[in-house]
Amino acid sequence: MRPIGALIGLVVLVAFLAMFLVPIFDIGFRATFRRLAFRNINRRRGEAVLVIVGALLGTAIITASYIVGDTIEASIRDAARTDQGPLDETLRVTDATQLDAVQKAITTPPISGVDGTLRIKSAGAVVANTAANRVAVPTAGLVEIDFEQGRAFGSDPKITGLAGAGATPSGDEAVIGDRLATKLGVQAGSQIEVFAFGGSKKLQVREVIEDVGLVGYVPVRSGGVGGAQTRPLGVLVAPGTIGALFTASPIKTAQPPTTEIAVSNVGGVFDSTGNTDDVVNQLKERTAALTGVQVLKPKADLLDAAKSQGESFTQLFSTIGYFSVIAGILLLINLFVMLSEERKSQMGMLRALGFKRNHLVRTFAIEGSTYSFIAAILGAFVGIGVSYVIILAAANIFSSRGAENLSFPLVVKVPALLKGAVIGLTISVVTVWGTSGRIARLNIIRAIRDLPEPKAVGQSTRAVALGAVGAAFFVALFALGWSSDNAGLVLAGPALAAFCLIPVLTRLFTRTRRAAGTVGDGGVSSVTDPAIGSAPEAAGVSPPHTGEAVERVPRKPVTVVVSAFALVWGIGVFSFAGSKVGRAGIQVFLIQGIILVAAGVTLLSQADRLWSGIAKGLLASGRGLAARLGLAYPLAKKFRTGLLLAMFAIVIFTMTFISVISGIFSGQAPQFTRNVAAGYDLYVESNQGNPVTVDQLQAQPGVASVASLTRALGQATTPKRPEGTNVGLTGFNDAFIQNGEPKLETRAPSYASDADAFRAVLADPGLIIVNQNFGARNQGGGPPQANLEVGDTVTLTNTGTGQQKQVTVAGIMANDFVGNGGMVADTFLNQLFAPRTVQNRHYVKVTPGSDPEQVAAQISGALIQNGANARTFESVINEQLGSQLAFFSLLRGYLGLGLLIGIAGLGVVMVRAV
């Protein structure tokens, strides 16, 4: 297979090179071709501008998608500088008494490629100023680092952030980053108060330094709404501060301090991850005999996530943008079809004077390539402006979802501009060559006389053969897609196969009969064709056949049936083959849109007699002259009208589809709230180092009942993800299901109700209830691929201790806007993940007659030292839906550029029509 693949690749490469190099050669060495092409451009300058505008918008859209992806990636990558600096790997040690043994194991002898180690201790905390108008940051962390060792950690003290930070804090001193100082409104010399483990301590800010490198590294992470991991802001404190607070803690549900040994690889911030895998393997080997040691690679994971997110956004915007690109392709086709009709006599005379068909094609190719080249250059630069607007909107959306630490600087890389320009140029040039080859096929005599081409009777043998081969090919692709669960092939295969069958079915229902006289191109006729004179052979027309006539089913009914089938399949495939395409990626959306628009426009084009009949009926009533005249030109030029309809339809379809999805989401907010709330009113998240207790919440006015949830982070191995993915887990108890339970989308048949499924999980530690995306990974901008079904087995792993447990999926939640992830009994969760569990999530039911919003505000204000963030479920869901709706609006605006292409096409058509 490889030689065949290489041969096909070589043929494609040669074809592409020919399409680019032939026009260049002709411009330089074929003066006649060059003059004809450039003369045509010069004669219609306004039209040339419209064509270039239409083509450059497609290039701009493609280029913008690459720039947006690069910007998202760069913004996430920058966290390696601000959050990690020289840090590459970490060893998280559960038992702090083993720190010396772990450090000795990884440094004696030194590991090749490692240039330093550093001990870091951290804990979650709430930080507040002590001013009259107190301000608190609920997601912060206390960090203990030896500053002298920190400056020596890695290759350059500047990237540690501690170069000018002075000595390690002592006593009640603290050093904080500028981001935290800005939030609290404090400066050097100010006093702050930290709350952790049920206690508090006042500290004096000795210095405010730039929030980069080790200053920004806070190992603890706070689980936010929806399961998002928010970045804590660190307070660098004196050694022993965290231990003193933890030892005196009256709270047993808090997450204990995190103790790590950080490892720095040789290199700077971004070029030190080349040997990460080798270093990680050596670290694991050297600590294999020690218990409770987890080896992590935060920088490599961050850079991989940045690349993945950047590619995801590139794919999302490029896929959506290709609807507008397709509109640009249709514009080019429409233009060259119109140019060929306008220049029909000219082309006929050129052929009569000795021009060959390939000469006409090459002349058109020069003209079209000139448009394409100019559009590609301008479009690449216009794409910078488009991407700038997208980034501004995206930054607002991300910041509203708690990612305010991302800066989103516009990143314009030369490769992005080149890729956008080359893709846009290639699409345009391929379109130009394909269209030119089609329009250059003309009859010389008819072209000179400007006579219409006769309608073909039946189908040529070549068309039938190509149709049959194409149908067989797409049926084979459908079978392949069905067996491999490829949603794109399942959706596209039957529709494309049906369109390929049009010439085959037309021939199949065609039959011949004997008749007197002769049969020409249009049926039975005399030997002399009045359209071409007495010498049809000289004009390139095949001689008529004597004694035969053709009776056939017209092509139109066949086309209508095929188009109707494609339309039904495109709409109903999610019902017909839901298991194969139900959770497909965004590429399927592009395929579906093309199929539906193609089928719909084809059906409308075939209904020309219907529109003509309506116009005639209006005319007969004395009120339809305008309609009659208005429809005359479109009906006379059905192909061009169809292209124009498709240009608008492909963009309007996408915008309408996104608007409908947006409307569905916004309209389902009440249902989502009921599905998630489990009969409660409020959702309370607090700091993992100083969590709110059940007693504290029950003491608040307006609180009727409280259910506590235990949280832990682990790894899940599923049948479709045997490599394992990091997941959030939630433990619940009997109190949680007293008022209700989260709505399940599916559950095991043995449970009569959702409540039975949750009670079964409490009774059996071998069961779990998961959300729809549990253990899945995002696929190219679309929804995550379906990962689990009821009855599947999942292996949960405590990555710190290596302990594992297998559980069976008892149910799948319909919605999980608060990010519970996988839900198990809290006793089971504590057994598997202790002591790295925390009880910092609570569901609250308010007393009858109380306003949930007021109760939430009261809880957040009264328990600010715990970092309490009390929200109504309705507000949580509306906020998340608001972010999604804002993103849908961004996509609609992005697609609006495609309408400009349609307007340009309409302008060209109207100029020609007039």
Side-chain angles (χ1 to χ4, degrees):
M1 292 298 291
R2 289 184 177 178
I4 296 177
L7 179 61
I8 294 174
L10 180 62
V11 171
V12 172
L13 178 62
V14 171
F16 272 91
L17 288 176
M19 282 190 291
F20 286 109
L21 295 179
V22 169
I24 296 175
F25 173 83
D26 288 341
I27 290 174
F29 299 98
R30 301 302 294 266
T32 302
F33 298 173
R34 180 181 67 245
R35 289 169 184 163
L36 286 171
F38 289 166
R39 183 186 67 176
N40 289 329
I41 295 174
N42 188 53
R43 288 174 61 190
R44 297 285 186 177
R45 297 179 184 178
E47 182 179 282
V49 170
L50 288 175
V51 177
I52 292 173
V53 168
L56 77 82
L57 285 174
T59 301
I61 288 169
I62 297 171
T63 304
S65 68
Y66 283 107
I67 295 176
V68 168
D70 288 342
T71 299
I72 297 294
E73 178 180 355
S75 182
I76 299 175
R77 276 176 60 89
D78 192 57
R81 177 185 66 86
T82 60
D83 290 14
Q84 295 166 350
L87 183 148
D88 291 287
E89 298 87 24
T90 63
L91 294 94
R92 186 162 293 175
V93 183
T94 304
D95 184 0
T97 62
Q98 294 194 83
L99 277 174
D100 291 336
V102 173
Q103 185 150 12
K104 182 179 179 180
I106 64 175
T107 57
T108 308
I111 296 176
S112 175
V114 171
D115 62 5
T117 61
L118 179 69
R119 296 187 183 186
I120 302 175
K121 189 173 185 177
S122 65
V126 177
V127 183
N129 62 16
T130 57
N133 296 323
R134 301 201 72 179
V135 177
V137 174
T139 54
L142 303 178
V143 181
E144 294 178 6
I145 296 177
D146 185 292
F147 279 24
E148 196 62 37
Q149 293 179 12
R151 282 187 282 269
F153 181 64
S155 60
D156 186 355
K158 294 180 181 178
I159 65 177
T160 66
L162 299 174
T168 304
S170 60
D172 293 339
E173 290 181 340
V175 174
I176 63 175
D178 50 12
R179 192 186 299 270
L180 178 59
T182 300
K183 284 181 174 289
L184 294 177
V186 300
Q187 57 188 356
S190 300
Q191 189 178 65
I192 60 175
E193 187 173 8
V194 296
F195 301 89
F197 307 115
S200 65
K201 185 178 181 64
K202 291 185 178 180
L203 302 171
Q204 193 80 16
V205 177
R206 190 188 75 192
E207 193 170 357
V208 176
I209 57 180
E210 187 179 1
D211 210 358
V212 297
L214 297 174
V215 181
Y217 180 67
V218 184
V220 294
R221 285 292 184 264
S222 176
V225 174
Q229 296 294 305
T230 57
R231 173 197 177 198
L233 301 175
V235 180
L236 301 174
V237 296
T241 302
I242 296 175
L245 288 169
F246 181 66
T247 302
S249 174
I251 300 179
K252 304 304 180 185
T253 57
Q255 191 177 71
T258 298
T259 306
E260 293 184 343
I261 298 178
V263 178
S264 173
N265 298 346
V266 174
V269 174
F270 298 104
D271 60 352
S272 60
T273 58
N275 63 335
T276 293
D277 290 338
D278 292 337
V279 173
V280 167
N281 291 334
Q282 292 189 60
L283 292 174
K284 288 181 177 179
E285 289 176 5
R286 295 194 179 195
T287 58
L290 301 172
T291 58
V293 180
Q294 180 184 7
V295 180
L296 305 172
K297 47 178 183 176
K299 184 179 290 184
D301 291 342
L302 172 68
L303 297 181
D304 288 344
K307 182 178 180 181
S308 176
Q309 288 295 321
E311 291 175 347
S312 178
F313 272 85
T314 294
Q315 187 172 23
L316 172 64
F317 280 95
S318 62
T319 302
I320 293 294
Y322 271 118
F323 285 103
S324 298
V325 173
I326 292 170
I329 292 173
L330 297 176
L331 171 61
L332 288 176
I333 295 173
N334 214 342
L335 170 78
F336 276 87
V337 169
M338 287 189 292
L339 291 179
S340 68
E341 292 182 358
E342 176 187 319
R343 304 170 190 171
K344 191 172 183 180
S345 298
Q346 172 189 329
M347 291 191 296
M349 287 185 285
L350 288 173
R351 288 294 309 279
L353 291 173
F355 251 56
K356 297 180 180 178
R357 181 177 295 166
N358 79 85
H359 294 165
L360 288 180
V361 173
R362 288 158 64 179
T363 301
F364 270 109
I366 293 175
E367 182 178 353
S369 298
T370 302
Y371 294 141
S372 302
F373 182 78
I374 296 173
I377 300 298
L378 295 178
F381 289 99
V382 173
I384 298 175
V386 173
S387 58
Y388 177 73
V389 175
I390 294 173
I391 289 300
L392 284 180
N396 292 330
I397 295 172
F398 276 100
S399 63
S400 68
R401 300 186 67 176
E404 65 274 1
N405 58 300
L406 298 180
S407 55
F408 294 104
L410 184 65
V411 176
V412 181
K413 297 181 179 179
V414 173
L417 295 177
L418 290 178
K419 284 189 289 188
V422 169
I423 293 176
L425 178 62
T426 301
I427 291 174
S428 298
V429 169
V430 169
T431 304
V432 166
W433 274 97
T435 309
S436 300
R438 178 66 182 87
I439 63 181
R441 299 177 61 187
L442 50 83
N443 179 277
I444 298 174
I445 303 302
R446 289 194 184 98
I448 293 175
R449 295 182 178 181
D450 197 18
L451 298 174
E453 295 292 326
K455 294 183 179 180
V457 176
Q459 297 294 324
S460 67
T461 302
R462 181 175 63 179
V464 173
L466 290 176
V469 171
F473 175 74
F474 288 117
V475 168
L477 285 184
F478 169 74
L480 176 63
W482 189 272
S483 62
S484 61
D485 290 344
N486 187 307
L489 297 182
V490 171
L491 174 59
L496 295 179
F499 279 115
C500 289
L501 284 175
I502 290 177
V504 178
L505 295 175
T506 302
R507 170 67 69 88
L508 183 65
F509 294 109
T510 300
R511 62 179 180 175
T512 59
R513 64 178 174 81
R514 293 289 176 181
T518 59
V519 180
D521 286 341
V524 179
S525 68
S526 63
V527 174
T528 302
D529 191 336
I532 59 175
S534 59
E537 295 88 344
V541 179
S542 300
H545 307 285
T546 305
E548 290 185 352
V550 179
E551 290 180 347
R552 66 186 182 91
V553 173
R555 182 188 178 98
K556 183 175 293 186
V558 175
T559 305
V560 168
V561 171
V562 166
S563 299
F565 167 79
L567 198 64
V568 171
W569 177 258
I571 295 174
V573 65
F574 291 94
S575 298
F576 305 147
S579 61
K580 302 294 181 180
V581 300
R583 294 179 65 79
I586 195 170
Q587 301 92 334
V588 173
F589 171 51
L590 174 64
I591 297 172
Q592 183 188 34
I594 294 173
I595 290 174
L596 294 180
V597 169
V601 170
T602 303
L603 282 174
L604 288 176
S605 299
Q606 297 301 312
D608 54 325
R609 293 185 180 179
L610 173 63
W611 313 125
S612 180
I614 293 174
K616 288 180 180 179
L618 291 173
L619 183 63
S621 67
R623 296 172 296 176
L625 180 59
R628 179 71 168 163
L629 293 175
L631 288 172
Y633 185 79
L635 292 177
K637 304 292 183 181
K638 288 190 295 182
F639 179 72
R640 286 160 54 175
T641 302
L643 289 178
L644 188 62
L645 283 175
M647 287 165 56
F648 280 97
I650 196 73
V651 178
I652 297 299
F653 164 82
T654 318
M655 297 181 73
T656 303
F657 187 90
I658 292 176
S659 297
V660 170
I661 295 296
S662 176
I664 291 174
F665 268 89
S666 61
Q668 286 187 315
Q671 180 64 44
F672 291 153
T673 301
R674 290 191 294 271
N675 291 349
V676 172
Y680 291 88
D681 301 298
L682 305 181
Y683 164 92
V684 183
E685 188 93 18
S686 54
N687 188 279
Q688 72 271 37
N690 197 43
V692 169
T693 65
V694 173
D695 292 339
Q696 285 177 300
L697 288 173
Q698 288 180 335
Q700 299 302 311
V703 173
S705 61
V706 179
S708 61
L709 297 173
T710 304
R711 298 282 291 156
L713 294 175
Q715 188 179 77
T717 303
T718 66
K720 293 185 179 180
R721 295 292 179 192
E723 72 278 11
T725 55
N726 294 327
V727 294
L729 296 164
T730 300
F732 66 98
N733 51 30
D734 288 318
F736 177 71
I737 56 175
Q738 285 183 355
N739 295 304
E741 63 284 323
K743 173 71 175 176
L744 298 183
E745 182 182 67
T746 57
R747 60 177 182 267
S750 56
Y751 308 126
S753 65
D754 293 350
D756 289 343
F758 277 91
R759 282 193 287 267
V761 172
L762 282 177
D764 185 352
L767 297 176
I768 187 173
I769 289 174
V770 301
N771 63 25
Q772 296 173 344
N773 302 327
F774 187 80
R777 290 180 179 172
N778 194 272
Q779 304 291 314
Q785 300 293 328
N787 189 50
L788 288 171
E789 297 178 359
V790 169
D792 284 348
T793 299
V794 179
T795 301
L796 300 179
T797 304
N798 183 332
T799 53
T801 63
Q803 186 180 2
Q804 294 183 334
K805 292 289 185 181
Q806 284 192 340
V807 292
T808 301
V809 177
I812 299 176
M813 287 180 276
N815 307 107
D816 187 21
F817 284 89
V818 295
N820 282 324
M823 302 195 71
V824 296
D826 57 358
T827 53
F828 167 77
L829 194 69
N830 283 317
Q831 289 173 0
L832 181 59
F833 291 96
R836 306 304 303 176
T837 59
V838 58
Q839 200 174 89
N840 68 331
R841 178 172 290 189
H842 298 81
Y843 282 26
V844 175
K845 188 172 183 63
V846 303
T847 57
S850 298
D851 183 355
E853 291 288 354
Q854 291 183 359
V855 175
Q858 165 66 29
I859 291 174
S860 297
L863 302 176
I864 190 172
Q865 73 274 11
N866 300 96
N869 181 19
R871 307 272 305 279
T872 64
F873 281 99
E874 183 180 6
S875 67
V876 169
I877 291 170
N878 285 337
E879 181 181 277
Q880 292 198 50
L881 289 181
S883 297
Q884 296 182 19
L885 297 179
F887 198 76
F888 286 143
S889 297
L890 173 60
L891 291 179
R892 282 199 298 270
Y894 180 63
L895 281 166
L897 293 171
L899 292 179
L900 298 179
I901 298 175
I903 293 170
L906 183 61
V908 173
V909 172
M910 293 307 297
V911 168
R912 290 299 179 195
V914 173

